[in-house]
Amino acid sequence: MRIDPERAGATRDEYQRLLAEENIATSIHFLPVHKLTAYRDLLPDQPPLPVAERAGDEVLSLPLTPAHSDDDIADVVAALRRVHAAL
């Protein structure tokens, strides 16, 4: 999911921390490639890529896969709603 801090009331990292307190494990899977060390070294004059950088700051992966039961998914959604309401 993508969390726009202005609209959501908190940053992606704050959502991640609060979801962890709800026992919901999340991950950050999207990293702008041009920010990784190997690419920065290879292309030191890379201009900013604001769309990719914003996505890198806002994208949070939730534990929602076909392996999760409907109850698991409902738990994630309920926890997300509680976190969002608290913010």
Side-chain angles (χ1 to χ4, degrees):
M1 66 181 223
R2 192 164 179 172
I3 300 168
D4 178 344
E6 290 179 22
R7 295 178 66 201
T11 66
R12 182 248 348 250
D13 295 341
E14 291 168 308
Y15 268 81
Q16 185 175 41
R17 181 181 59 77
L18 292 171
L19 285 166
E21 290 176 9
E22 294 272 349
N23 294 316
I24 303 298
T26 61
S27 299
I28 298 171
H29 287 114
F30 181 81
L31 301 171
V33 173
H34 71 287
K35 293 288 199 172
L36 301 175
T37 302
Y39 288 92
R40 284 195 323 258
D41 292 345
L42 184 63
L43 303 166
D45 297 325
Q46 171 66 48
L49 299 172
V51 174
E53 291 164 18
R54 182 174 177 194
D57 291 338
E58 295 179 353
V59 173
L60 183 64
S61 296
L62 298 173
L64 302 175
T65 69
H68 291 95
S69 70
D70 288 346
D71 288 341
D72 293 334
I73 293 169
D75 288 344
V76 171
V77 172
L80 183 57
R81 285 183 173 152
R82 285 190 299 273
V83 166
H84 184 68
L87 296 169

